[in-house]
Amino acid sequence: MSIKTAIVNGVATIEIARPEKKNALTRVMYQAMTDALVAANTDKSVRAVLIQGQPNIFTSGNDIEDFMGSPPRDEEAPVFQFMRALVTCEKPVVAAVNGAAIGIGTTMLLHCDFVFVADDARLAMPFVALGLVPEFASSLVVPRLMGHVKAAEKLLLGDPFTGAEAVECGMANAVLPPAEVVSHARRVAERFNNLAPSAVRESKRLMRSHTTAQVMETIQVEAEIFGARLRSPEATEAFQAFFQKRQPDFSKFE
Ligand code: COA
């Protein structure tokens, strides 16, 4: 099983555990994460959710083989269900990021409430490099967080950035030594055991309410373009290049 879940001391943990493929996320894994989030949302014993990867990798993003073989077709696709469950989760979601968080690995952080990153973490949203476009409201949230020109580095060039930069631009709370990230994130999640649960839920809802409609609308607009791009010759070239361990050649495209 490449997603491990557990509920300990009021915290529902979702651990991405597919290190042999750098924690690349498959449809089955999205489904397991969705189930865990939905269950956590209704389980009265759960006060917060913790999402973590492995010591050297958070996630290398969507499984590229899955992208080629069974690309998400509509909003019922497992990746949509997972992101919908995350965006609408009523309880606080805390992320602990060690190593690389690529593609949806970074995108999902934009929808968490607390993000703790290791000092060796590398975040990246290389959608354009894969012939794709930003997803799950990153085209809205990232420019809002850091301004257009910094967002262009991340979303157009796909430049990776450090945990420190993520903190600087408001994407993450704090940078920690790698060995302390998960324990620190867990301690923060456990603080919700001592807080009034309805007040927490209502407050989170209020904080998100001003942007929810725009986020949902943007997700839909992006999804249509993203879906078409997944089948584009540019993306096919990028995916083949990844598995052939070479640089993609976009010189023939207009
Ligand atoms: N989808 C499918 N397989 C992936 C993957 C992904 N997103 N990321 C890594 N893998 C696989 C590799 O194909 C390789 O498989 P193999 O051992 O059968 O050859 C294995 O995981 C190890 O990856 P590798 O690239 O050799 O590890 P690395 O330490 O050199 O690099 C990364 C790690 C994360 C930097 C690199 O794997 C990477 O860039 N992955 C793709 C990230 C990406 O573009 N994601 C965006 C998707 S939207």
Side-chain angles (χ1 to χ4, degrees):
M1 187 57 182
S2 33
I3 297 294
K4 296 181 187 168
T5 59
I7 297 173
V8 179
N9 195 19
V11 177
T13 303
I14 299 174
E15 179 184 340
I16 310 169
R18 195 188 175 208
E20 70 285 3
K21 291 289 179 187
K22 301 290 169 183
N23 278 0
L25 295 166
T26 61
R27 292 152 49 89
V28 174
M29 291 163 74
Y30 287 124
Q31 192 58 59
M33 295 197 292
T34 305
D35 293 346
L37 275 174
V38 169
N41 215 23
T42 51
D43 184 337
K44 288 189 171 52
S45 73
V46 171
R47 294 297 182 93
V49 177
L50 172 63
I51 302 179
Q52 66 182 75
Q54 296 302 302
N56 298 319
I57 181 84
F58 183 65
T59 168
S60 62
N62 203 101
D63 186 290
I64 294 177
E65 218 171 306
D66 254 22
F67 260 164
M68 294 171 80
S70 37
R73 294 206 175 275
D74 55 36
E75 293 192 4
E76 291 318 303
V79 62
F80 275 94
Q81 295 196 35
F82 165 64
M83 288 303 289
R84 198 159 46 230
L86 179 62
V87 172
T88 59
C89 185
E90 294 177 359
K91 296 181 182 176
V93 181
V94 184
V97 181
N98 283 89
I102 305 181
I104 198 161
T106 291
T107 308
M108 74 170 84
L109 303 178
L110 302 171
H111 301 288
C112 293
D113 302 293
F114 300 87
V115 177
F116 297 101
V117 285
D119 54 27
D120 65 352
R122 286 287 177 280
L123 290 76
M125 294 174 282
F127 301 113
V128 169
L130 289 166
L132 303 172
V133 293
E135 51 165 12
F136 297 108
S138 48
S139 66
L140 173 72
V141 179
V142 177
R144 262 193 195 162
L145 278 174
M146 56 185 80
H148 180 81
V149 294
K150 283 282 169 196
E153 291 173 5
K154 317 293 186 271
L155 290 174
L156 297 184
L157 292 173
D159 284 352
F161 51 108
T162 61
E165 203 180 338
V167 171
E168 201 180 305
C169 73
M171 271 184 68
N173 296 81
V175 178
L176 295 148
E180 292 170 25
V181 177
V182 171
S183 53
H184 182 84
R186 169 165 286 282
R187 272 197 300 280
V188 171
E190 286 177 351
R191 285 177 60 185
F192 288 97
N193 288 319
N194 301 321
L195 289 166
S198 301
V200 169
R201 277 198 304 278
E202 292 288 348
S203 299
K204 174 167 174 171
R205 192 176 57 76
L206 284 167
M207 285 168 68
R208 298 277 193 194
S209 63
H210 314 285
T211 51
T212 303
Q214 212 184 354
V215 164
M216 291 303 190
E217 193 190 317
T218 307
I219 289 176
Q220 271 190 345
V221 172
E222 290 169 340
E224 244 176 71
I225 303 170
F226 194 97
R229 298 240 33 108
L230 274 174
R231 295 164 185 81
S232 69
E234 289 177 357
T236 304
E237 163 60 11
F239 297 158
Q240 284 172 352
F242 175 73
F243 287 117
Q244 291 163 5
K245 300 191 189 289
R246 61 169 174 84
Q247 287 300 312
D249 176 7
F250 296 123
S251 62
K252 60 178 181 288
F253 298 111
E254 296 181 348

